[in-house]
Amino acid sequence: MKKEFIEIWGDLVTIKDLILAIVLCSVFTMGGYFIAPASDQTKQLFFGLGGAVLGFLLSAFVIKPKRTVIEEEEE
């Protein structure tokens, strides 16, 4: 079965990997937001941002780019 690739910022990813990354980032962002105290909007913001960064880092380590690098010799 041939995989379908889409290009995002110069990297090729499968739709499955893209959806996984979106779900991971969303879950961690909303999780951080809901963990923060409800009475403090500043903490909700920072916990949500922290969750987004954590989701991004996890996605970056779990999902590898599918690009092909070809080196050419210069003469």
Side-chain angles (χ1 to χ4, degrees):
M1 182 170 98
K2 186 176 179 179
K3 291 187 177 183
E4 285 291 320
F5 294 105
I6 57 174
E7 184 176 345
I8 298 178
W9 295 333
D11 283 333
L12 296 175
V13 295
T14 60
I15 294 177
K16 176 187 152 198
D17 289 342
L18 179 63
I19 291 173
L20 177 63
I22 291 170
V23 168
L24 280 173
C25 289
S26 299
V27 166
F28 278 99
T29 301
M30 295 308 293
Y33 175 79
F34 288 123
I35 287 174
S39 61
D40 193 352
Q41 290 182 338
T42 304
K43 284 187 181 177
Q44 289 176 336
L45 173 68
F46 283 114
F47 277 52
L49 289 173
V53 169
L54 187 63
F56 170 75
L57 290 173
L58 186 60
S59 296
F61 285 111
V62 169
I63 301 168
K64 301 296 178 198
K66 310 300 190 275
R67 66 178 165 242
T68 304
V69 177
I70 301 172
E71 293 186 28
E72 296 180 4
E73 293 184 25
E74 292 185 36
E75 293 181 29

